[in-house]
Amino acid sequence: MSKKNVGTEKLFLTLNEACKMLRLSRPTLVKLIKQGKIKAFKPSIRVWRIPVEEIFKFEKNKIG
């Protein structure tokens, strides 16, 4: 996955967008967030936002 695939104007992803990028299920991604392996925040009760950089960090650590 390269940074060129994501528009530079998009700094945060929704949970669904991050799931698609990482090829993970929603419950698995939420579990990783709660374990602190991926940093994310909740601007409201039902909404998660994940910084794009966190996705790249996770992928980099997962591969190597």
Side-chain angles (χ1 to χ4, degrees), residues 36-58:
K37 296 181 180 180
I38 296 176
K39 293 179 186 170
F41 66 97
K42 289 182 87 170
S44 68
I45 291 175
R46 297 179 134 190
V47 177
W48 284 98
R49 291 292 179 254
I50 301 114
V52 172
E53 287 300 315
E54 284 297 310
I55 302 301
F56 295 124
K57 284 182 197 175
F58 182 77

